[in-house]
Amino acid sequence: MQTKKHKIFIIAGEASGDVYGGQIARQILSQTDAEIRGWGGKEMASVGVNISKYYSELAFMGFLEVIKNLGAIRKNLKKCWKEIEVFNPDAVVCIDFPGFNMRIAKRSKAAGFNTYQVICPQIWAWKGSRIKALRRDYNAVFPALPFEDEILKKGGVNSQSLGHPILDTFEELKFEKRPHQIALLPGSRIQELKKMLPLFVSLGMEFKELDFVIAGAPGRKISDYSLATEAGFKVEFGKTREILGTSVAAIVTSGTATLEASLLGTKQVIAYKTGAFNYAVAKAVVKINRIGLPNLISGRDIVPELIQGDCTVKNLSLKLNEILDSETQISEIARLRKMLGKIGASNRIANYIIRNSLSSLNQDKLP
């Protein structure tokens, strides 16, 4: 009698989620013969995941952009769910991307599929009511930030705090600093580039003695950075961590890259600007005063943040000079790194999914 082949469906809607999905899929495939399909990117595809839709087609940022693209979002939700139904997986693994993934998870769990969430939605910042859905719609949630586990457990969620998968990608990275190089990360979405590139270009013009390098985001084209290239700025793709690691300082537009910069030992300024409508709505609903992951994790302002009205060329210039003249951030990084726990989160998450969803496997062979 032929045994049923185990199947897993992974959904990652952003570049960082694609990296984590690739790591988890690699660990699962190293221990099983499971078939893995999903929505994601090149990292997941490179380890053997059959990708039917790439995340570059999915991400809409900001309240206004989401409203404008509701039709496309609904169409993608319908398409994704249809693929899951036809595939009939043993497990559905959702990675970050909560606006989309939590809707899929609701249907997935109700249909009887084992459903998991890697990277917890930021219920401590806004939409705290989501904790009810996390309790109802997931077999387990794998929070990445150290303080999230207690919040989830208090809400009755099966929280499995197994560490941050980002650490697994830094294990062997070592770079030599280039004394005059400054990394610029203006974001990955086109809306972010439109807001941040003009500021970064103007800033670069004020520091002729420094070498500014822009890290091109996955899914973007060189033409998206035409404002910068026409002004003589270097834009390099596929080298984000190398650019961050070799730079003495960086200016980063929020997101996972703020944590990456700190883990690479690079001083940074967090700079973020969005449309007036998006900012007004965010101010009304968000319960926190910090946006950078290093600051949120440490509970202190170890990295300067310039948000919305404070995000001006003048302020960026002042803060860049300040961090170049100080080593305070560097002394905080070791403490931050320790708070994130041990490497190996991807393997631990993969093993949990295997043990709890691929039940016919030989459990004794798992570490």
Side-chain angles (χ1 to χ4, degrees):
M1 181 177 173
Q2 192 175 17
T3 21
K4 172 182 174 284
K5 189 168 187 177
H6 292 288
K7 296 185 286 188
I8 296 173
F9 198 94
I10 301 177
I11 309 166
E14 297 170 308
S16 57
D18 177 41
V19 172
Y20 306 151
Q23 292 169 186
I24 293 165
R26 182 187 292 110
Q27 296 296 335
I28 291 172
L29 291 170
S30 72
Q31 302 174 60
T32 77
D33 64 348
E35 178 184 358
I36 307 182
R37 297 185 187 179
W39 287 24
K42 292 180 180 178
E43 295 297 324
M44 286 166 56
S46 71
V47 301
V49 180
N50 184 350
I51 300 295
S52 55
K53 195 169 189 72
Y54 281 79
Y55 67 77
S56 55
E57 304 172 55
L58 296 175
F60 299 105
M61 184 177 182
F63 300 98
L64 193 56
E65 285 72 25
V66 168
I67 291 168
K68 286 178 182 176
N69 291 281
L70 276 175
I73 293 168
R74 288 195 185 104
K75 187 177 178 181
N76 283 332
L77 283 165
K78 186 176 179 181
K79 177 177 169 59
C80 185
W81 176 244
K82 184 65 178 175
E83 286 186 26
I84 292 170
E85 275 191 311
V86 172
F87 187 45
N88 191 29
D90 297 279
V92 175
V93 180
C94 303
I95 305 177
D96 208 352
F97 203 45
F100 187 94
N101 275 336
M102 291 188 75
R103 286 169 172 80
I104 292 294
K106 183 176 181 179
R107 300 185 74 169
S108 172
K109 190 67 160 55
F113 299 129
N114 292 300
T115 308
Y116 301 97
Q117 178 70 37
V118 179
I119 309 295
C120 175
Q122 295 175 343
I123 53 173
W124 37 268
W126 74 309
K127 290 192 176 180
S129 60
R130 280 177 164 175
I131 199 161
K132 297 174 185 175
L134 292 172
R135 180 176 63 240
R136 179 192 65 218
D137 299 334
Y138 293 93
N139 293 71
V141 174
F142 305 104
L145 304 184
F147 58 83
E148 293 176 326
D149 185 51
E150 185 180 355
I151 296 170
L152 291 169
K153 283 177 175 170
K154 280 184 178 176
V157 178
N158 179 20
S159 174
Q160 298 293 321
S161 186
L162 303 180
H164 202 311
I166 196 172
L167 296 178
D168 301 340
T169 67
F170 281 85
E171 194 173 356
E172 297 176 3
L173 289 181
K174 288 184 176 62
F175 298 104
E176 188 175 333
K177 298 291 183 187
R178 296 171 186 163
H180 301 290
Q181 182 172 294
I182 307 296
L184 298 176
L185 278 72
S188 59
R189 298 175 178 93
I190 200 68
Q191 302 99 309
E192 293 173 320
L193 295 181
K194 287 178 180 177
K195 289 290 182 183
M196 301 309 299
L197 270 182
L199 287 169
F200 286 3
V201 168
S202 297
L203 176 70
M205 297 301 184
E206 292 193 3
F207 289 86
K208 299 291 187 182
E209 73 281 10
L210 297 175
D211 180 21
F212 288 88
V213 183
I214 295 174
R220 299 265 65 90
K221 305 182 294 292
I222 190 66
S223 58
D224 295 326
Y225 300 86
S226 57
L227 180 69
T229 54
E230 288 167 10
F233 285 73
K234 285 185 288 186
V235 180
E236 298 186 0
F237 289 87
K239 296 182 177 180
T240 299
R241 289 190 175 175
E242 180 183 333
I243 292 168
L244 278 173
T246 55
S247 296
V248 290
I251 301 178
V252 184
T253 299
S254 194
T256 307
T258 62
L259 185 55
E260 291 178 322
S262 288
L263 291 173
L264 288 164
T266 302
K267 297 180 284 188
Q268 65 178 307
V269 177
I270 295 169
Y272 188 79
K273 202 165 194 172
T274 187
F277 176 80
N278 286 333
Y279 184 70
V281 175
K283 281 289 285 182
V285 299
V286 174
K287 300 180 288 188
I288 54 173
N289 297 318
R290 303 179 178 102
I291 67 165
L293 285 173
N295 296 336
L296 289 167
I297 294 166
S298 63
R300 296 182 299 124
D301 296 321
I302 65 174
V303 175
E305 297 186 0
L306 297 174
I307 311 301
Q308 204 64 7
D310 292 329
C311 188
T312 64
V313 176
K314 180 181 177 181
N315 287 340
L316 284 169
S317 178
L318 287 169
K319 291 299 179 184
L320 181 57
N321 273 321
E322 280 181 21
I323 65 170
L324 286 173
D325 292 338
S326 169
E327 295 300 310
T328 306
Q329 269 191 58
I330 299 300
S331 64
E332 296 282 357
I333 287 173
R335 184 185 302 177
L336 176 68
R337 171 66 180 78
K338 192 176 287 186
M339 292 178 74
L340 288 170
K342 298 178 180 178
I343 63 168
S346 305
N347 189 44
R348 291 188 288 272
I349 291 168
N351 286 340
Y352 186 95
I353 293 168
I354 292 170
R355 286 192 178 98
N356 290 277
S357 297
L358 312 186
S359 56
S360 68
L361 290 169
N362 186 346
Q363 306 298 315
D364 295 334
K365 292 183 179 178
L366 295 176

